Amino acid sequence: MKKIVILISGRGSNMQAVVEANIAQAEVVAVISNRADAAGLQWAEQYGLATETICHQDYAGREAFDTALMARIDAYQPDLVVLAGFMRILTPEFCNHYAGRLINIHPSLLPAFPGLHTHQRALDSGCRVAGCTIHFVTAELDCGPIIAQGVVPVLGNDTADALAQRVLRVEHELLPQAVADFVAGKLVVEGNRVNNLSMADIDDSIFLKN
Ligand code: GAR
């Protein structure tokens, strides 16, 4: 059984998708938030999961917070740490400590639009498609090896909120699948590329549709 710790900062709908997927040979051992008012924490508690809040404002700086966060995470001895809407920039020490077992979901088709306000930036840039990316986390923000990407169309009358909703539905499918692939040992990192041994069928279906 692989142990998973999920970090959130807010709503937690991606965390919920992972938990409800009941991934074989995987157990979500804790949900940790940097904000006590994160709605996802309540959901996780009601579901019966271990939850913790480690408020970044209680620490003198980024290093001190990340050190404390690492200590709390490591108490669960996780095989995988999932950033599911965890809205903190992490120190290189944190990223290196979890190298190869830390993944993030980001609401854009990386390497386009790292950082914040991704949907508005996609609209402002005239993109015809948008989407989300799941990647291994490295010290450089939103830059690690890409595990999976989901694509949606940008429609003529889109607002950032409408586009975010469309992308979020794809996020909820993609993240549990990526976690399942990790747990099943199907993700092989080669340099900056991830060889996903379960992706061949998906790639075929995309090409066939087009
Ligand atoms: C998701 O859209 C996720 O991709 C994004 O925050 C949202 C969290 O929603 N993550 C980032 O922007 C990370 N830079 P959720 O709390 O309902 O899962």
Side-chain angles (χ1 to χ4, degrees):
M1 193 65 91
K2 301 281 187 202
K3 294 182 191 169
I4 300 170
V5 169
I6 304 180
L7 306 188
I8 65 169
S9 296
R11 181 178 52 190
S13 68
N14 278 293
M15 172 269 299
Q16 195 174 331
V18 171
V19 170
E20 290 184 327
N22 286 317
I23 296 163
Q25 297 302 316
E27 183 189 3
V28 176
V29 290
V31 176
I32 301 177
S33 172
N34 64 313
R35 300 180 58 105
D37 61 355
L41 273 184
Q42 282 181 5
W43 184 90
E45 259 167 44
Q46 283 165 7
Y47 199 88
L49 299 172
T51 61
E52 294 195 30
T53 301
I54 305 173
C55 184
H56 58 275
Q57 286 158 336
D58 293 345
Y59 294 86
R62 203 174 285 286
E63 282 74 19
F65 172 71
D66 278 11
T67 301
L69 181 59
M70 278 190 269
R72 292 312 312 146
I73 294 171
D74 288 349
Y76 295 96
Q77 300 187 309
D79 299 285
L80 175 66
V81 178
V82 179
L83 307 179
F86 189 63
M87 305 304 281
R88 294 276 310 167
I89 292 176
L90 296 161
T91 56
E93 289 72 23
F94 186 100
C95 298
N96 292 336
H97 183 68
Y98 297 106
R101 55 187 177 119
L102 177 62
I103 68 174
N104 178 46
I105 183 157
H106 181 76
S108 79
L109 294 170
L110 292 171
F113 313 126
L116 298 175
H117 311 300
T118 53
H119 303 299
Q120 189 59 55
R121 288 158 67 203
L123 292 176
D124 293 346
S125 300
C127 294
R128 307 306 296 259
V129 295
C132 55
T133 302
I134 298 163
H135 63 97
F136 284 105
V137 174
T138 57
E140 204 178 343
L141 181 70
D142 297 331
C143 268
I146 291 171
I147 298 166
Q149 292 185 301
V151 181
V152 302
V154 175
L155 304 181
N157 58 353
D158 261 346
T159 60
D161 281 349
L163 183 54
Q165 285 304 313
R166 195 174 310 121
V167 171
L168 192 65
R169 284 198 291 276
V170 179
E171 294 185 36
H172 293 165
E173 289 180 29
L174 214 58
L175 186 59
Q177 184 61 55
V179 172
D181 289 346
F182 179 94
V183 167
K186 290 179 175 169
L187 304 182
V188 181
V189 181
E190 291 163 359
N192 205 35
R193 295 180 65 126
V194 178
N195 184 9
N196 186 335
L197 304 177
S198 75
M199 284 294 279
D201 293 342
I202 297 172
D203 286 348
D204 281 352
S205 68
I206 289 169
F207 287 123
L208 285 173
K209 268 186 239 156
N210 290 337

